[in-house]
Amino acid sequence: QVQLVESGGGLVQPGGSLELSCAASGIFGFFSMGWFRQFPGKEREFVSSIVVSNSRTYYADSVNGRFTISRDNAKNTVYLQMNSLKPEDTAVYYCAAQNYGTDNYDYWGQGTQVTVSS
């Protein structure tokens, strides 16, 4: 059974930082891993992703320059360092993983709440 287990969400003040972690188990590796977020009443949206083999990263315009994605291939773990957080970053954040040879994300974490508020 493939599982993605997230941690690191919580409450932070505007301008603060959080680091999300997502550890995968039940599979040896992925083509890519990424982060998505969902606001109430909205569709889940892309935040960031990283290609495991070459560390190529991608960021949504809304977070570019503030968030940094990284990974530990040996642990099948992806991180999202979130700096300069804004209230509009408040959302449920999900990690996801893409298998080799597919065009979509095949596995999803349970989601973790990030709330940015003073």
Side-chain angles (χ1 to χ4, degrees), residues 12-18 82-86 116:
V12 65
Q13 293 184 343
S17 298
L18 284 174
M82 304 184 293
N83 299 323
S84 301
L85 284 162
K86 306 173 182 179
V116 184

Side-chain angles (χ1 to χ4, degrees), residues 3-97:
Q3 291 184 309
L4 304 180
V5 180
E6 302 177 5
S7 62
L11 175 66
V12 65
Q13 293 184 343
S17 298
L18 284 174
E19 185 181 67
L20 306 182
S21 300
C22 180
S25 62
I27 192 168
F28 70 91
F30 304 102
F31 176 75
S32 70
M33 299 184 73
W35 291 94
F36 294 75
R37 65 187 181 184
Q38 188 168 25
F39 308 108
K42 301 290 186 178
E43 295 183 350
R44 194 172 300 180
E45 69 177 35
F46 171 79
V47 175
S48 183
S49 66
I50 183 167
V51 178
V52 174
S53 61
N54 61 14
S55 298
R56 179 73 169 88
T57 59
Y58 303 87
Y59 296 94
D61 289 343
S62 58
V63 307
N64 194 27
R66 299 187 297 119
F67 292 9
T68 302
I69 190 169
S70 62
R71 85 287 179 274
D72 184 334
N73 289 348
K75 298 179 180 179
N76 268 357
T77 299
V78 65
Y79 306 91
L80 186 68
Q81 178 65 49
M82 304 184 293
N83 299 323
S84 301
L85 284 162
K86 306 173 182 179
E88 51 263 46
D89 294 317
T90 297
V92 178
Y93 284 71
Y94 298 87
C95 64

Side-chain angles (χ1 to χ4, degrees), residues 97-110:
Q98 179 184 10
N99 276 331
Y100 295 96
T102 72
D103 293 328
N104 56 271
Y105 287 91
D106 303 286
Y107 308 103
W108 295 85
Q110 79 284 358

